Amino acid sequence: MLNPNNAQLPVIAAPMFLVSGPEIVTACCKSGIVGTFPALNQRTNEGFREWLVSIEQSLEGVAHPGFGVNLIVHKTNPRLQQDLETCVEHKVPLIITSLGAVRDLVDAVHSYGGKVFHDVTTLRHAQKAIDAGVDGLIAVSAGAGGHAGTLHPLALLGEIRQRFSGTLISSGCISSGADVASAIAAGADYAYMGTRFICTDESRAAIAYKAMIEQSSAKDIVYTDKVSGVYANFLGASLAAASGEEAHPDGKPIDFGEELLAPEDGDAKAWKDIWSAGHGVGNIHSTVPVAALVDELTHDYQNALQRAADLVAKRH
Ligand SMILES: Cc1cc2nc3c(=O)[nH]c(=O)nc-3n(C[C@H](O)[C@H](O)[C@H](O)COP(=O)(O)O)c2cc1C
């Protein structure tokens, strides 16, 4: 189960489509942060089950903070029920739900002592998830990688906190230990980090994708619904490469019309060739092993907390 006593840092490495698998999950857990992956990163339920078994075997006898699986709760996900049953069978410590928050799923996960965190971009969706009985809410703010929201993180966290006393997680643009400290200072219990973990040895992202993140800054991120019909943040240079056009200098989405993606290509093709990342890219300059990244984040986090403590001490 989730065990914060085994955590080195209050960080969850966020689930990322086509990027996170068992390698990143086990490396995160062994380094003392929560590792996660989307069940749909495996093409079949059998494959998903094999990944769970391999994670369990790698973590046997290791004191770790727990790991999580992301389930897409939507009628277009034909695997949902089967994957949920697999999670229940394997007693997956944390289930992260996206899109729908459903009481039956929450009850099924609670039956073995697991926790459900749900990601939201608006207060309306947060309330629906609270009504479904989730244990945690992930506030996905403007500037996040993937399907980002549009609200400033402080606004979203503050408004959710006023009506929710469960676990609160801040998501969006968190790249450094100081960023983690700022999320905690703003009232979050965990920081949720996606883009920073793309640039690790254990991520499944292509080398050119990692290099593009290292060379990008916030102005290079394009927020568009032209890739999959839902607004998400993408690296402008990968959009330009896929469309054969120059990235729009002021960051406006390029209008690809119907040409870029034939409908049958679906989301997987889109996300394979057009690379998602959040505004935090400008603070990412290297690809390193997860263990080294967690060490660096911890050092930076402690320095940031010390700096704040020193400021308080000076005033008294
Ligand atoms: C490449 C990529 C793929 C993602 N895929 C998923 C996904 O499959 N499921 C999900 O819940 N969130 C997904 N996300 C969102 C992340 O879980 C997380 O909310 C986000 O990355 C946090 O913002 P940051 O990237 O600025 O740290 C994805 C993000 C990225 C960058």
Side-chain angles (χ1 to χ4, degrees):
M1 293 305 110
L2 280 189
N3 189 345
N5 292 337
N6 290 333
Q8 163 99 358
L9 262 185
V11 165
I12 299 171
M16 289 182 283
F17 190 46
L18 307 180
V19 170
S20 18
E23 311 80 12
I24 204 164
V25 172
T26 52
C28 287
C29 290
K30 286 179 180 174
S31 303
I33 64 167
V34 178
T36 68
F37 71 100
L40 293 178
N41 273 1
Q42 263 285 13
R43 295 178 77 92
T44 61
N45 173 263
E46 293 70 37
F48 166 52
R49 187 184 294 269
E50 280 164 24
W51 273 11
L52 284 180
V53 171
S54 100
I55 290 169
E56 287 161 352
Q57 285 171 348
S58 304
L59 295 178
E60 212 170 310
V62 177
H64 65 86
F67 69 91
V69 164
N70 173 226
L71 297 176
I72 306 292
V73 182
H74 195 257
K75 54 183 183 309
T76 56
N77 175 10
R79 290 231 324 255
L80 176 61
Q81 197 49 39
Q82 213 183 0
D83 287 349
L84 175 61
E85 282 164 18
T86 305
C87 290
V88 173
E89 227 176 273
H90 285 262
K91 298 187 167 51
V92 172
L94 171 65
I95 302 298
I96 295 169
T97 50
S98 302
L99 300 181
V102 183
R103 169 71 67 176
D104 286 353
L105 181 149
V106 173
D107 290 345
V109 176
H110 285 173
S111 71
Y112 61 83
K115 300 274 187 217
V116 179
F117 294 173
H118 184 69
D119 60 26
V120 296
T121 53
T122 65
L123 205 57
R124 188 170 71 84
H125 288 113
Q127 189 57 54
K128 282 187 173 179
I130 294 168
D131 294 342
V134 302
D135 305 285
L137 286 173
I138 303 163
V140 184
S141 61
H147 295 138
T150 54
L151 294 178
H152 190 283
L154 296 178
L156 191 55
L157 280 177
E159 290 191 20
I160 294 176
R161 190 41 107 205
Q162 287 171 48
R163 61 177 73 193
F164 181 62
S165 57
T167 306
L168 187 54
I169 302 105
S170 181
S171 165
C173 211
I174 300 175
S175 299
S176 69
D179 298 344
V180 175
S182 74
I184 301 303
D189 300 295
Y190 285 98
Y192 202 62
M193 300 177 72
T195 300
R196 182 61 192 92
F197 279 84
I198 297 174
C199 288
T200 58
D201 292 353
E202 293 85 350
S203 104
R204 299 182 152 226
I207 288 173
Y209 185 177
K210 295 176 182 178
M212 196 180 281
I213 289 178
E214 289 170 25
Q215 286 150 22
S216 295
S217 52
K219 68 169 178 19
D220 302 317
I221 302 300
V222 178
Y223 188 57
T224 179
D225 64 348
K226 295 286 189 284
V227 174
S228 65
V230 180
Y231 273 96
N233 275 317
F234 295 95
L235 289 161
S238 76
L239 282 164
S243 69
E245 290 185 39
E246 293 271 308
H248 201 292
D250 60 9
K252 277 198 199 124
I254 304 160
D255 185 0
F256 299 106
E258 296 301 310
E259 280 174 27
L260 183 62
L261 287 176
E264 63 272 21
D265 285 338
D267 252 19
K269 170 101 177 68
W271 286 65
K272 185 162 181 288
D273 296 334
I274 304 173
W275 297 329
S276 178
H279 286 184
V281 287
N283 293 321
I284 302 170
H285 306 296
S286 60
T287 294
V288 291
V290 164
L293 176 58
V294 174
D295 277 352
E296 182 192 315
L297 291 172
T298 305
H299 182 71
D300 192 31
Y301 175 68
Q302 286 167 349
N303 280 346
L305 293 182
Q306 188 58 52
R307 184 174 167 275
D310 290 347
L311 281 175
V312 173
K314 259 191 216 159
R315 306 222 158 165
H316 293 288

